[in-house]
Amino acid sequence: MKALIASAYGPVEQLRIHEVPDPSPGPGQVLVRVQAAALNPLDVKLVTGELREMFPVTHPFVPGVDATGVVAAVGQGVTRFAAGDEVIAYAGTASGTLAEYVLVDAGPQLIHRPRALSPAQAAALPMAAMTAHCVLAAAALEPGDRALVIGATGGVGALVVQQAAELGARVLATAAPADTAYIRALGAHESIDHTAVDTLATARRLHPGGLDVVIDLINAGPALAATAGLVRPGGRLVSTLYGPEEVDGVTPVYVRMEASTGALPRQAERVAAGRMSIEVAATYPFEKSPQAMCDLAEGRHTRGKIVIIF
Ligand SMILES: NC(=O)c1ccc[n+]([C@@H]2O[C@H](COP(=O)([O-])OP(=O)(O)OC[C@H]3O[C@@H](n4cnc5c(N)ncnc54)[C@H](OP(=O)(O)O)[C@@H]3O)[C@@H](O)[C@H]2O)c1
């Protein structure tokens, strides 16, 4: 099969499509013929080695954790899936989804694809949706809570904004001018143009008494300490990155995506039923996946997800 390959830790410019041996499913595994795969910032960090202490990978490494496709074969003991089933998969890091075939454990990270979802929408879901679920669980929003979402227009942020608004929170979200109408349509009540003004100073001016919840999907380390200053006494700071254990009486909650929560089917059904939208900003054919990874790494403006079509 063809797969996108990193031969060592290093810049994403090294990525090339190569022919590699076809995988075959072991016990409890499902072999999926990939129809579409979505990119995540994690993919870039795994290729460069930025996360090598936390998430070491073996080389040659195939990036990609999200996919949708058709079951090609099942391993011993798998009864929930059969050849021909259309599925959505979070594959983890052992077998990358930027390949014609991927191996996935038949656990909560592998679900049947609702008919109403297009392959691009389905591929875009797993990591963003499961992370958004974990973020919202940590945020424990109550109706009327004032919540700031930093990084609101990305894959995770857009799903967080929609569900936070549905929970009755008053959402303040970062959005570049081209995304202001978009983020409002998702349910944000106010927005801050992070490309033109200082997000923290503006949020402080808009909410001088502090916010009940700040969800920061962008800042890490000392920058996250600055974000903590926006949280009212007794409020909550939730981050998908890393930073200090405690800042000025605020104990940040650092979220790590968990597939075991069983959130993926519920989130997929919400999109299928039209109760939540998932934005696919750009699609690239698989042959252009090296370019897609470079565009993602460059931080070129995107709204929602980048999806590779096979
Ligand atoms: N801990 C975990 O388990 C976990 C899981 C998933 C993701 N993550 C991490 O969470 C972060 C967000 O993930 P994602 O998938 O949502 O990323 P993404 O899709 O790349 O979205 C990032 C968004 O942030 C916006 N942005 C960039 N700089 C900004 C700034 N200074 N202020 C406000 N907005 C800014 C970008 O919009 P513009 O183009 O308009 O700037 C983009 O829409 C990533 O760092 C990712 O690695 C962690």
Side-chain angles (χ1 to χ4, degrees), residues 39-42 45 51 55 127-128 131-132 149-158 174-176 179 192 194-195 199 216-219 239-241 254-258 296 299-305:
L39 304 189
N40 287 283
L42 174 69
K45 297 173 191 178
L51 296 181
F55 299 113
M127 185 159 205
T131 305
V149 183
I150 302 177
T153 49
V156 177
T174 54
D179 294 330
I192 298 177
H194 62 278
T195 65
T199 298
D216 194 335
L217 308 171
I218 298 297
N219 296 296
S239 161
T240 51
L241 297 166
Y254 295 106
V255 164
R256 190 155 154 187
M257 189 217 82
E258 291 287 344
L296 177 70
R300 207 173 269 195
H301 174 78
T302 54
R303 180 201 281 180
K305 306 291 298 179

Side-chain angles (χ1 to χ4, degrees), residues 12-108:
V12 290
E13 284 74 14
Q14 63 158 310
L15 291 164
R16 295 286 179 274
I17 293 174
H18 288 297
E19 198 66 38
V20 297
D22 285 353
S24 78
Q29 289 186 319
V30 172
L31 180 68
V32 178
R33 178 172 59 76
V34 178
Q35 293 175 312
L39 304 189
N40 287 283
L42 174 69
D43 302 324
V44 173
K45 297 173 191 178
L46 292 175
V47 169
T48 60
E50 184 185 331
L51 296 181
R52 75 176 84 181
E53 278 172 24
M54 221 185 311
F55 299 113
V57 300
T58 50
H59 295 95
F61 172 65
V62 181
V65 294
D66 286 340
T68 190
V70 178
V71 172
V74 299
Q76 198 189 341
V78 175
T79 54
R80 202 159 57 90
F81 300 95
D85 287 359
E86 293 178 337
V87 292
I88 302 178
Y90 172 79
T93 56
S95 175
T97 57
L98 291 168
E100 290 176 312
Y101 290 89
V102 63
L103 288 174
V104 188
D105 291 337

Side-chain angles (χ1 to χ4, degrees), residues 186-214:
L186 294 187
H189 300 82
E190 301 171 282
S191 60
I192 298 177
D193 175 6
H194 62 278
T195 65
V197 299
D198 180 324
T199 298
L200 304 192
T202 308
R204 199 170 294 115
R205 183 173 54 71
L206 291 171
H207 295 277
L211 290 134
D212 300 299
V213 175
V214 176

Side-chain angles (χ1 to χ4, degrees), residues 130-142:
M130 291 194 287
T131 305
H133 171 83
C134 295
V135 164
L136 287 159
L141 289 163
E142 299 283 347

